[in-house]
C-alpha cells in the first residue's frame, strides 16, 4: 500500500512536470520564435533543472546549466532531426553541459553543496509528498540512482530512453531504479512511522 502511494506520487509528479514537448516547437525555435522558446521553457524547465541538479548536486550550478541549455537549444534547434524524442535530445544537451561543468571545475560536488537545494529555483511546485520524495532522492541515492529516478519521475522518460541517454544497459538502469525505489520506500516508511509516533 505504501509502495503504491509512493510510486503514484512519482507518476503524478512525472505527468505534472514533464509533458512531452512538441517537435513543432523546436521547428518554430529554429525559425527564431521567442514565444516558442518561452513555451518550451515552461513545459520542460522542471525536468531540465531536476536532471541538471541530479548530476551537479549544486543549486547554483544546476540553474546555470538550465539557462545555458536554453541558450544552446535556441542555437541548435535547426539541427534537431525529428525522431519523436525531443525531450531526450534536450536532456542530452543538459547532460553534456553538466559534465562539462564538472570537468571544468575539476571536482565532484560535496554533500554540503546540496543544502537548500530546491529553494532558489523553487521550480518543483508539487505538494509535500513530492518534495519529500525529491529531498530523499537527493540525500540518499547514488549519483546513478538519482539521475535515473529524476529522469523517470521528473522528466517522464521510459527506462529504455534513460538507458540510451545515460549510455547504460537497460538491465542496469532497471536494477538501479528498483534499488533506488527500495531505498526511498524504506526512508519514507521510517519518516511516516516517526511522524505517527510524535
Amino acid at each position: 500500500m505504501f509502495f503504491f502511494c509512493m510510486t503514484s506520487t512519482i507518476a503524478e509528479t512525472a505527468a505534472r512536470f514533464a509533458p512531452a514537448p512538441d517537435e513543432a516547437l523546436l521547428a518554430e525555435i529554429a525559425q527564431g520564435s521567442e514565444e516558442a522558446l518561452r513555451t518550451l521553457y515552461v513545459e520542460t524547465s522542471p525536468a531540465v533543472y531536476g536532471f541538471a541538479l541530479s548530476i551537479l548536486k549544486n543549486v547554483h550550478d544546476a540553474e546555470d546549466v538550465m539557462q545555458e541549455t536554453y541558450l544552446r537549444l535556441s542555437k541548435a534547434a535547426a539541427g534537431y532531426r525529428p525522431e519523436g524524442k525531443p525531450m531526450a535530445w534536450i536532456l542530452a544537451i543538459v547532460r553534456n553541459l553538466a559534465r562539462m561543468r564538472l570537468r571544468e571545475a575539476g571536482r565532484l560536488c560535496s554533500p554540503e553543496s546540496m543544502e537548500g537545494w530546491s529553494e532558489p529555483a523553487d521550480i518543483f511546485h508539487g505538494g509535500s509528498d513530492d518534495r519529500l520524495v525529491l529531498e530523499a532522492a537527493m540525500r540518499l541515492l547514488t549519483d546513478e540512482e538519482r539521475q535515473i529516478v529524476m529522469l523517470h519521475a521528473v522528466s517522464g522518460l521510459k527506462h529504455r530512453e534513460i538507458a540510451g541517454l545515460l549510455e547504460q544497459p537497460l538491465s542496469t538502469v532497471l536494477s538501479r531504479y528498483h534499488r533506488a525505489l527500495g531505498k526511498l520506500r524504506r526512508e519514507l516508511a521510517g519518516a511516516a512511522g516517526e511522524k505517527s509516533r510524535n
Side-chain angles (χ1 to χ4, degrees):
M1 175 68 175
F2 178 78
F3 177 72
F4 174 75
C5 292
M6 186 184 76
T7 54
S8 294
T9 298
I10 289 173
E12 289 161 10
T13 301
R16 189 167 54 249
F17 289 147
D22 187 348
E23 288 185 333
L25 279 176
L26 292 174
E28 291 176 36
I29 292 166
Q31 295 176 359
S33 170
E34 289 184 21
E35 184 59 35
L37 184 59
R38 255 190 304 279
T39 300
L40 187 72
Y41 177 86
V42 168
E43 289 181 0
T44 61
S45 57
V48 166
Y49 175 73
F51 186 42
L53 184 61
S54 75
I55 297 170
L56 297 163
K57 297 185 279 184
N58 178 289
V59 172
H60 303 294
D61 288 346
E63 289 172 342
D64 289 348
V65 163
M66 182 175 71
Q67 295 304 321
E68 181 66 23
T69 295
Y70 291 101
L71 290 173
R72 292 277 177 99
L73 198 145
S74 67
K75 295 174 185 171
Y80 174 73
R81 300 290 171 252
E83 300 172 349
K85 299 179 181 178
M87 194 66 204
W89 182 72
I90 292 166
L91 292 175
I93 293 172
V94 175
R95 180 197 60 209
N96 293 338
L97 289 170
R99 286 180 177 173
M100 191 181 335
R101 183 167 286 258
L102 287 175
R103 276 194 303 272
E104 286 170 359
R107 62 166 167 72
L108 292 175
C109 298
S110 66
E112 294 80 39
S113 66
M114 291 166 44
E115 291 177 13
W117 65 271
S118 62
E119 301 307 323
D122 199 25
I123 206 161
F124 300 113
H125 301 294
S128 60
D129 288 345
D130 293 337
R131 188 174 180 87
L132 275 175
V133 171
L134 292 171
E135 285 176 350
M138 291 302 293
R139 192 176 66 254
L140 296 173
L141 304 181
T142 67
D143 290 347
E144 293 84 7
E145 291 168 346
R146 187 174 51 256
Q147 288 172 32
I148 291 165
V149 167
M150 290 294 232
L151 284 168
H152 185 67
V154 179
S155 302
L157 294 183
K158 294 180 174 81
H159 291 106
R160 188 171 303 283
E161 294 170 319
I162 295 168
L165 182 64
L166 298 180
E167 300 164 347
Q168 295 177 1
L170 177 60
S171 59
T172 301
V173 167
L174 287 169
S175 170
R176 288 178 174 159
Y177 179 73
H178 291 296
R179 186 170 46 237
L181 284 186
K183 287 180 183 179
L184 292 173
R185 182 173 55 239
R186 286 188 296 276
E187 170 74 8
L188 296 174
E194 188 175 308
K195 193 175 186 179
S196 68
R197 285 192 297 271
N198 291 336

